[in-house]
Amino acid sequence: MSRITPRPGATAMTHVLLPVLDAFAGLRTLVIGEAMLDAYLDGHSERLCREAPVPVVDIDARRDVPGGGANTAVNVAALGARVTLLSVVGADDDADRLARSLAALGVPDDGLVRAGSRRTLVKQRVLAGGQILLRLDAGSRDGLDPACESRLRERLRAAWREVDAVIVSDYGYGVLTEGVLDEIAALQAAHERVLVADAKDLRRLARARPTAVKPNYAEAARLLGLTGGHGDGRVDQIAGHEAELLQTTGARVAAVTLDSAGALVFETGQPAYRTYARPTSDANATGAGDTFVSALALALAAGAPTHACADLAQGAATLVVARDGTTACTAAELRAHLASQDKLLSDDDLAVVADCLHRAGKRLVFTNGCFDILHRGHITCLSRAKALGDVLIVGLNADASVRRLKGATRPINRAADRAQVLAALSCVDHIVEFAEDTPVRLIELARPDVYVKGGDYSLDNLPEAPLVTSLGGEVWFLPYLDDFSTTGILARIGAGGGHG
């Protein structure tokens, strides 16, 4: 069985990944495969149909978003790279809807071959109260006619010369014919690119010798003839077939995504590597694989080590599975997510992290202080504050701010040291330093649901209180433990200074 390398520490990982993310902006990427339209019919249901025992859904709104290979292209663009999307769609209204959706998300639609003989692939989801009740699939799934295939191959040859990375998104719906795959293999042999394949049957792509492949568990299991894997047991099951998976797909790297269990990554000549995901509902996983493969391809094209590429791709996928529907991860969101792994955030990171958390329905708690000598009173208060919500953000007074508030002899410990001590507490999720005397600016950025201060404050002498309530939050006062304060500790140290 393959030896699985543990995940590196968050701090080391972040220092590696942020420069990789910066490099995305200079990359040119080609996505070829089945472009689809994902339509969401949002409504509500309050009664059953008289003709059959099924709910009647009153539709309130329709949302059209790019799906399939088109969603992969959207993710590439959202991560900051330039993207060309090649596919074949119908000459119909759904193709127009798809083109408008792509344009709105920064993806050119001039690589779409429109064929009168085909119908655009559409997946319509009917929702009531946010719950998917039904999915309706439509569109052509047979192979391309010779004229369409010729036009697609011609555009593929022209685009290949201009790109750094190629992503093949093959859902088995007829766009990637044997002729198109032969073209990809010939181009890769003559002009090698970072080539990443995401396909229902990766054996079809083996002739192209892809740089990496990204099967999900079901796809990998079919390739390997495996059955019966569940939960974390799938990791050990797949890990025993590393050589076979790489040989079958012809790839140097294989990243097997395991939804809530993360991903298992194989690389020729290297130990297997595992990433980890936050558990979430599978109902929210639409398009997460597109996000993973987009980030993986860009990171490989940026020249990052494979384990770093996998962690970055996992981070991007983690963000999108926390949302409903087909969606993409932006470079700004991923940057904030990576930065948050260190717990220490910049002001810009705080704004993005807070926005992501609010959209995910998390309850944000904010408190602030000098925390010069961390004592039992601080820890108790921070622990109680965390219990009031899901995420605790701590504003930390900068050194100059502490001196203004506490006197010329303070702080005893520098801000960097105070932050590291706070970061060691599991109840503290994020820390942001501020130079002002009050954390008003941080409160405006974080928009906390709860603002916590110690019991020596009241609404009358807390200037931040009106701002918190105006932003829709509430203010809580937590009592300090008696006989625990930094000033008291320093006084006792001074009193006993002559006794060693």
Side-chain angles (χ1 to χ4, degrees), residues 459-487:
L459 288 175
D460 294 333
N461 63 2
L462 188 63
E464 302 90 343
L467 173 61
V468 173
T469 54
S470 72
L471 294 172
E474 53 185 315
V475 180
W476 281 66
F477 298 101
L478 297 179
Y480 280 137
L481 294 181
D482 292 338
D483 299 325
F484 283 98
S485 73
T486 301
T487 302

PDB file of all heavy atoms in Angstrom, residues 459-487:
ATOM      1  N   LEU A 459     -22.820  50.038  27.967  1.00  0.00           N
ATOM      2  CA  LEU A 459     -23.231  50.702  26.738  1.00  0.00           C
ATOM      3  C   LEU A 459     -22.921  52.197  26.767  1.00  0.00           C
ATOM      4  O   LEU A 459     -22.666  52.814  25.727  1.00  0.00           O
ATOM      5  CB  LEU A 459     -24.735  50.495  26.507  1.00  0.00           C
ATOM      6  CG  LEU A 459     -25.164  49.072  26.096  1.00  0.00           C
ATOM      7  CD1 LEU A 459     -26.679  48.997  26.014  1.00  0.00           C
ATOM      8  CD2 LEU A 459     -24.547  48.706  24.754  1.00  0.00           C
ATOM      9  N   ASP A 460     -22.909  52.777  27.975  1.00  0.00           N
ATOM     10  CA  ASP A 460     -22.676  54.216  28.100  1.00  0.00           C
ATOM     11  C   ASP A 460     -21.231  54.604  27.807  1.00  0.00           C
ATOM     12  O   ASP A 460     -20.966  55.719  27.330  1.00  0.00           O
ATOM     13  CB  ASP A 460     -23.052  54.696  29.504  1.00  0.00           C
ATOM     14  CG  ASP A 460     -24.539  54.563  29.768  1.00  0.00           C
ATOM     15  OD1 ASP A 460     -25.310  54.609  28.789  1.00  0.00           O
ATOM     16  OD2 ASP A 460     -24.916  54.396  30.950  1.00  0.00           O
ATOM     17  N   ASN A 461     -20.262  53.714  28.113  1.00  0.00           N
ATOM     18  CA  ASN A 461     -18.854  54.083  27.912  1.00  0.00           C
ATOM     19  C   ASN A 461     -18.173  53.232  26.843  1.00  0.00           C
ATOM     20  O   ASN A 461     -16.955  53.108  26.833  1.00  0.00           O
ATOM     21  CB  ASN A 461     -18.073  53.981  29.226  1.00  0.00           C
ATOM     22  CG  ASN A 461     -18.018  52.559  29.767  1.00  0.00           C
ATOM     23  OD1 ASN A 461     -18.519  51.627  29.159  1.00  0.00           O
ATOM     24  ND2 ASN A 461     -17.384  52.416  30.929  1.00  0.00           N
ATOM     25  N   LEU A 462     -18.983  52.661  25.954  1.00  0.00           N
ATOM     26  CA  LEU A 462     -18.424  51.859  24.859  1.00  0.00           C
ATOM     27  C   LEU A 462     -18.759  52.538  23.535  1.00  0.00           C
ATOM     28  O   LEU A 462     -19.872  52.395  23.007  1.00  0.00           O
ATOM     29  CB  LEU A 462     -19.020  50.441  24.889  1.00  0.00           C
ATOM     30  CG  LEU A 462     -18.393  49.433  23.933  1.00  0.00           C
ATOM     31  CD1 LEU A 462     -16.927  49.190  24.261  1.00  0.00           C
ATOM     32  CD2 LEU A 462     -19.165  48.104  23.962  1.00  0.00           C
ATOM     33  N   PRO A 463     -17.816  53.289  22.948  1.00  0.00           N
ATOM     34  CA  PRO A 463     -18.126  54.066  21.737  1.00  0.00           C
ATOM     35  C   PRO A 463     -18.471  53.209  20.527  1.00  0.00           C
ATOM     36  O   PRO A 463     -19.125  53.676  19.596  1.00  0.00           O
ATOM     37  CB  PRO A 463     -16.834  54.860  21.497  1.00  0.00           C
ATOM     38  CG  PRO A 463     -15.754  54.120  22.232  1.00  0.00           C
ATOM     39  CD  PRO A 463     -16.424  53.488  23.410  1.00  0.00           C
ATOM     40  N   GLU A 464     -18.037  51.936  20.527  1.00  0.00           N
ATOM     41  CA  GLU A 464     -18.304  51.083  19.373  1.00  0.00           C
ATOM     42  C   GLU A 464     -19.736  50.556  19.341  1.00  0.00           C
ATOM     43  O   GLU A 464     -20.211  50.079  18.302  1.00  0.00           O
ATOM     44  CB  GLU A 464     -17.352  49.871  19.356  1.00  0.00           C
ATOM     45  CG  GLU A 464     -15.886  50.238  19.323  1.00  0.00           C
ATOM     46  CD  GLU A 464     -15.284  50.381  20.715  1.00  0.00           C
ATOM     47  OE1 GLU A 464     -16.072  50.513  21.684  1.00  0.00           O
ATOM     48  OE2 GLU A 464     -14.058  50.341  20.827  1.00  0.00           O
ATOM     49  N   ALA A 465     -20.434  50.608  20.470  1.00  0.00           N
ATOM     50  CA  ALA A 465     -21.759  49.991  20.574  1.00  0.00           C
ATOM     51  C   ALA A 465     -22.749  50.500  19.529  1.00  0.00           C
ATOM     52  O   ALA A 465     -23.439  49.688  18.886  1.00  0.00           O
ATOM     53  CB  ALA A 465     -22.317  50.177  21.979  1.00  0.00           C
ATOM     54  N   PRO A 466     -22.904  51.818  19.334  1.00  0.00           N
ATOM     55  CA  PRO A 466     -23.872  52.279  18.331  1.00  0.00           C
ATOM     56  C   PRO A 466     -23.576  51.752  16.924  1.00  0.00           C
ATOM     57  O   PRO A 466     -24.502  51.435  16.176  1.00  0.00           O
ATOM     58  CB  PRO A 466     -23.750  53.807  18.394  1.00  0.00           C
ATOM     59  CG  PRO A 466     -23.208  54.088  19.755  1.00  0.00           C
ATOM     60  CD  PRO A 466     -22.279  52.952  20.049  1.00  0.00           C
ATOM     61  N   LEU A 467     -22.282  51.650  16.573  1.00  0.00           N
ATOM     62  CA  LEU A 467     -21.921  51.136  15.253  1.00  0.00           C
ATOM     63  C   LEU A 467     -22.341  49.674  15.114  1.00  0.00           C
ATOM     64  O   LEU A 467     -22.902  49.275  14.085  1.00  0.00           O
ATOM     65  CB  LEU A 467     -20.413  51.272  15.025  1.00  0.00           C
ATOM     66  CG  LEU A 467     -19.862  50.625  13.759  1.00  0.00           C
ATOM     67  CD1 LEU A 467     -20.492  51.239  12.513  1.00  0.00           C
ATOM     68  CD2 LEU A 467     -18.335  50.735  13.708  1.00  0.00           C
ATOM     69  N   VAL A 468     -22.070  48.889  16.138  1.00  0.00           N
ATOM     70  CA  VAL A 468     -22.422  47.465  16.082  1.00  0.00           C
ATOM     71  C   VAL A 468     -23.924  47.293  15.864  1.00  0.00           C
ATOM     72  O   VAL A 468     -24.367  46.520  15.006  1.00  0.00           O
ATOM     73  CB  VAL A 468     -21.974  46.736  17.367  1.00  0.00           C
ATOM     74  CG1 VAL A 468     -22.499  45.298  17.381  1.00  0.00           C
ATOM     75  CG2 VAL A 468     -20.458  46.750  17.489  1.00  0.00           C
ATOM     76  N   THR A 469     -24.716  47.989  16.630  1.00  0.00           N
ATOM     77  CA  THR A 469     -26.175  47.854  16.513  1.00  0.00           C
ATOM     78  C   THR A 469     -26.673  48.393  15.168  1.00  0.00           C
ATOM     79  O   THR A 469     -27.616  47.840  14.599  1.00  0.00           O
ATOM     80  CB  THR A 469     -26.882  48.577  17.666  1.00  0.00           C
ATOM     81  OG1 THR A 469     -26.439  49.949  17.726  1.00  0.00           O
ATOM     82  CG2 THR A 469     -26.570  47.910  18.996  1.00  0.00           C
ATOM     83  N   SER A 470     -26.032  49.433  14.654  1.00  0.00           N
ATOM     84  CA  SER A 470     -26.454  49.971  13.355  1.00  0.00           C
ATOM     85  C   SER A 470     -26.180  48.985  12.224  1.00  0.00           C
ATOM     86  O   SER A 470     -26.845  49.023  11.180  1.00  0.00           O
ATOM     87  CB  SER A 470     -25.745  51.294  13.068  1.00  0.00           C
ATOM     88  OG  SER A 470     -24.365  51.085  12.773  1.00  0.00           O
ATOM     89  N   LEU A 471     -25.190  48.099  12.436  1.00  0.00           N
ATOM     90  CA  LEU A 471     -24.860  47.084  11.431  1.00  0.00           C
ATOM     91  C   LEU A 471     -25.656  45.800  11.635  1.00  0.00           C
ATOM     92  O   LEU A 471     -25.436  44.803  10.936  1.00  0.00           O
ATOM     93  CB  LEU A 471     -23.359  46.768  11.478  1.00  0.00           C
ATOM     94  CG  LEU A 471     -22.420  47.904  11.066  1.00  0.00           C
ATOM     95  CD1 LEU A 471     -20.969  47.528  11.350  1.00  0.00           C
ATOM     96  CD2 LEU A 471     -22.601  48.248   9.593  1.00  0.00           C
ATOM     97  N   GLY A 472     -26.573  45.821  12.601  1.00  0.00           N
ATOM     98  CA  GLY A 472     -27.424  44.662  12.834  1.00  0.00           C
ATOM     99  C   GLY A 472     -26.903  43.685  13.867  1.00  0.00           C
ATOM    100  O   GLY A 472     -27.482  42.607  14.056  1.00  0.00           O
ATOM    101  N   GLY A 473     -25.823  44.049  14.574  1.00  0.00           N
ATOM    102  CA  GLY A 473     -25.254  43.162  15.585  1.00  0.00           C
ATOM    103  C   GLY A 473     -25.755  43.481  16.979  1.00  0.00           C
ATOM    104  O   GLY A 473     -26.500  44.439  17.188  1.00  0.00           O
ATOM    105  N   GLU A 474     -25.326  42.665  17.923  1.00  0.00           N
ATOM    106  CA  GLU A 474     -25.682  42.889  19.325  1.00  0.00           C
ATOM    107  C   GLU A 474     -24.412  42.943  20.169  1.00  0.00           C
ATOM    108  O   GLU A 474     -23.378  42.368  19.808  1.00  0.00           O
ATOM    109  CB  GLU A 474     -26.611  41.778  19.825  1.00  0.00           C
ATOM    110  CG  GLU A 474     -26.106  40.372  19.597  1.00  0.00           C
ATOM    111  CD  GLU A 474     -27.119  39.314  20.008  1.00  0.00           C
ATOM    112  OE1 GLU A 474     -27.704  39.471  21.097  1.00  0.00           O
ATOM    113  OE2 GLU A 474     -27.316  38.347  19.255  1.00  0.00           O
ATOM    114  N   VAL A 475     -24.502  43.625  21.295  1.00  0.00           N
ATOM    115  CA  VAL A 475     -23.362  43.811  22.189  1.00  0.00           C
ATOM    116  C   VAL A 475     -23.564  42.966  23.446  1.00  0.00           C
ATOM    117  O   VAL A 475     -24.633  42.998  24.059  1.00  0.00           O
ATOM    118  CB  VAL A 475     -23.193  45.296  22.568  1.00  0.00           C
ATOM    119  CG1 VAL A 475     -21.999  45.468  23.505  1.00  0.00           C
ATOM    120  CG2 VAL A 475     -23.022  46.155  21.311  1.00  0.00           C
ATOM    121  N   TRP A 476     -22.520  42.207  23.801  1.00  0.00           N
ATOM    122  CA  TRP A 476     -22.551  41.379  25.014  1.00  0.00           C
ATOM    123  C   TRP A 476     -21.421  41.806  25.932  1.00  0.00           C
ATOM    124  O   TRP A 476     -20.303  42.094  25.478  1.00  0.00           O
ATOM    125  CB  TRP A 476     -22.368  39.894  24.662  1.00  0.00           C
ATOM    126  CG  TRP A 476     -23.605  39.224  24.138  1.00  0.00           C
ATOM    127  CD1 TRP A 476     -24.248  39.493  22.969  1.00  0.00           C
ATOM    128  CD2 TRP A 476     -24.324  38.154  24.762  1.00  0.00           C
ATOM    129  NE1 TRP A 476     -25.320  38.672  22.811  1.00  0.00           N
ATOM    130  CE2 TRP A 476     -25.398  37.827  23.888  1.00  0.00           C
ATOM    131  CE3 TRP A 476     -24.170  37.440  25.942  1.00  0.00           C
ATOM    132  CZ2 TRP A 476     -26.303  36.822  24.179  1.00  0.00           C
ATOM    133  CZ3 TRP A 476     -25.079  36.430  26.223  1.00  0.00           C
ATOM    134  CH2 TRP A 476     -26.136  36.133  25.354  1.00  0.00           C
ATOM    135  N   PHE A 477     -21.692  41.828  27.233  1.00  0.00           N
ATOM    136  CA  PHE A 477     -20.661  42.106  28.233  1.00  0.00           C
ATOM    137  C   PHE A 477     -20.452  40.844  29.068  1.00  0.00           C
ATOM    138  O   PHE A 477     -21.398  40.297  29.628  1.00  0.00           O
ATOM    139  CB  PHE A 477     -21.073  43.275  29.127  1.00  0.00           C
ATOM    140  CG  PHE A 477     -21.256  44.568  28.387  1.00  0.00           C
ATOM    141  CD1 PHE A 477     -22.538  45.017  28.050  1.00  0.00           C
ATOM    142  CD2 PHE A 477     -20.162  45.320  27.995  1.00  0.00           C
ATOM    143  CE1 PHE A 477     -22.715  46.186  27.349  1.00  0.00           C
ATOM    144  CE2 PHE A 477     -20.338  46.496  27.289  1.00  0.00           C
ATOM    145  CZ  PHE A 477     -21.609  46.933  26.968  1.00  0.00           C
ATOM    146  N   LEU A 478     -19.204  40.395  29.111  1.00  0.00           N
ATOM    147  CA  LEU A 478     -18.875  39.194  29.875  1.00  0.00           C
ATOM    148  C   LEU A 478     -18.082  39.580  31.108  1.00  0.00           C
ATOM    149  O   LEU A 478     -17.104  40.334  31.012  1.00  0.00           O
ATOM    150  CB  LEU A 478     -18.060  38.218  29.024  1.00  0.00           C
ATOM    151  CG  LEU A 478     -18.767  37.669  27.778  1.00  0.00           C
ATOM    152  CD1 LEU A 478     -17.834  36.732  27.017  1.00  0.00           C
ATOM    153  CD2 LEU A 478     -20.052  36.946  28.154  1.00  0.00           C
ATOM    154  N   PRO A 479     -18.446  39.092  32.278  1.00  0.00           N
ATOM    155  CA  PRO A 479     -17.732  39.464  33.502  1.00  0.00           C
ATOM    156  C   PRO A 479     -16.313  38.904  33.528  1.00  0.00           C
ATOM    157  O   PRO A 479     -16.062  37.773  33.099  1.00  0.00           O
ATOM    158  CB  PRO A 479     -18.591  38.844  34.611  1.00  0.00           C
ATOM    159  CG  PRO A 479     -19.295  37.698  33.940  1.00  0.00           C
ATOM    160  CD  PRO A 479     -19.552  38.142  32.532  1.00  0.00           C
ATOM    161  N   TYR A 480     -15.382  39.729  34.006  1.00  0.00           N
ATOM    162  CA  TYR A 480     -14.010  39.264  34.209  1.00  0.00           C
ATOM    163  C   TYR A 480     -13.933  38.415  35.478  1.00  0.00           C
ATOM    164  O   TYR A 480     -14.721  38.578  36.405  1.00  0.00           O
ATOM    165  CB  TYR A 480     -13.055  40.448  34.363  1.00  0.00           C
ATOM    166  CG  TYR A 480     -12.650  41.099  33.056  1.00  0.00           C
ATOM    167  CD1 TYR A 480     -12.616  42.493  32.955  1.00  0.00           C
ATOM    168  CD2 TYR A 480     -12.283  40.338  31.963  1.00  0.00           C
ATOM    169  CE1 TYR A 480     -12.236  43.107  31.771  1.00  0.00           C
ATOM    170  CE2 TYR A 480     -11.910  40.950  30.771  1.00  0.00           C
ATOM    171  CZ  TYR A 480     -11.875  42.320  30.679  1.00  0.00           C
ATOM    172  OH  TYR A 480     -11.506  42.920  29.514  1.00  0.00           O
ATOM    173  N   LEU A 481     -12.959  37.511  35.511  1.00  0.00           N
ATOM    174  CA  LEU A 481     -12.679  36.794  36.751  1.00  0.00           C
ATOM    175  C   LEU A 481     -12.021  37.730  37.750  1.00  0.00           C
ATOM    176  O   LEU A 481     -11.154  38.529  37.384  1.00  0.00           O
ATOM    177  CB  LEU A 481     -11.753  35.601  36.480  1.00  0.00           C
ATOM    178  CG  LEU A 481     -12.317  34.459  35.622  1.00  0.00           C
ATOM    179  CD1 LEU A 481     -11.264  33.375  35.495  1.00  0.00           C
ATOM    180  CD2 LEU A 481     -13.591  33.905  36.215  1.00  0.00           C
ATOM    181  N   ASP A 482     -12.421  37.652  38.982  1.00  0.00           N
ATOM    182  CA  ASP A 482     -11.815  38.495  40.012  1.00  0.00           C
ATOM    183  C   ASP A 482     -10.325  38.187  40.140  1.00  0.00           C
ATOM    184  O   ASP A 482      -9.892  37.038  40.031  1.00  0.00           O
ATOM    185  CB  ASP A 482     -12.500  38.254  41.361  1.00  0.00           C
ATOM    186  CG  ASP A 482     -13.933  38.769  41.364  1.00  0.00           C
ATOM    187  OD1 ASP A 482     -14.234  39.637  40.524  1.00  0.00           O
ATOM    188  OD2 ASP A 482     -14.747  38.269  42.175  1.00  0.00           O
ATOM    189  N   ASP A 483      -9.538  39.241  40.410  1.00  0.00           N
ATOM    190  CA  ASP A 483      -8.105  39.129  40.699  1.00  0.00           C
ATOM    191  C   ASP A 483      -7.279  38.705  39.491  1.00  0.00           C
ATOM    192  O   ASP A 483      -6.137  38.260  39.647  1.00  0.00           O
ATOM    193  CB  ASP A 483      -7.845  38.146  41.852  1.00  0.00           C
ATOM    194  CG  ASP A 483      -8.511  38.588  43.153  1.00  0.00           C
ATOM    195  OD1 ASP A 483      -8.572  39.817  43.375  1.00  0.00           O
ATOM    196  OD2 ASP A 483      -8.971  37.716  43.902  1.00  0.00           O
ATOM    197  N   PHE A 484      -7.856  38.808  38.273  1.00  0.00           N
ATOM    198  CA  PHE A 484      -7.075  38.500  37.088  1.00  0.00           C
ATOM    199  C   PHE A 484      -7.062  39.713  36.171  1.00  0.00           C
ATOM    200  O   PHE A 484      -8.085  40.083  35.588  1.00  0.00           O
ATOM    201  CB  PHE A 484      -7.650  37.287  36.340  1.00  0.00           C
ATOM    202  CG  PHE A 484      -7.325  35.976  36.988  1.00  0.00           C
ATOM    203  CD1 PHE A 484      -8.243  35.360  37.824  1.00  0.00           C
ATOM    204  CD2 PHE A 484      -6.098  35.358  36.770  1.00  0.00           C
ATOM    205  CE1 PHE A 484      -7.948  34.151  38.429  1.00  0.00           C
ATOM    206  CE2 PHE A 484      -5.794  34.147  37.368  1.00  0.00           C
ATOM    207  CZ  PHE A 484      -6.722  33.539  38.203  1.00  0.00           C
ATOM    208  N   SER A 485      -5.899  40.359  36.052  1.00  0.00           N
ATOM    209  CA  SER A 485      -5.716  41.463  35.121  1.00  0.00           C
ATOM    210  C   SER A 485      -4.227  41.617  34.871  1.00  0.00           C
ATOM    211  O   SER A 485      -3.393  41.261  35.716  1.00  0.00           O
ATOM    212  CB  SER A 485      -6.288  42.771  35.678  1.00  0.00           C
ATOM    213  OG  SER A 485      -5.470  43.264  36.717  1.00  0.00           O
ATOM    214  N   THR A 486      -3.872  42.132  33.695  1.00  0.00           N
ATOM    215  CA  THR A 486      -2.458  42.347  33.384  1.00  0.00           C
ATOM    216  C   THR A 486      -1.847  43.343  34.349  1.00  0.00           C
ATOM    217  O   THR A 486      -0.719  43.164  34.825  1.00  0.00           O
ATOM    218  CB  THR A 486      -2.318  42.845  31.936  1.00  0.00           C
ATOM    219  OG1 THR A 486      -2.883  41.882  31.055  1.00  0.00           O
ATOM    220  CG2 THR A 486      -0.856  43.054  31.581  1.00  0.00           C
ATOM    221  N   THR A 487      -2.593  44.419  34.657  1.00  0.00           N
ATOM    222  CA  THR A 487      -2.073  45.428  35.584  1.00  0.00           C
ATOM    223  C   THR A 487      -1.792  44.811  36.947  1.00  0.00           C
ATOM    224  O   THR A 487      -0.750  45.070  37.572  1.00  0.00           O
ATOM    225  CB  THR A 487      -3.084  46.580  35.721  1.00  0.00           C
ATOM    226  OG1 THR A 487      -3.321  47.145  34.433  1.00  0.00           O
ATOM    227  CG2 THR A 487      -2.540  47.651  36.650  1.00  0.00           C
TER     228      THR A 487
END
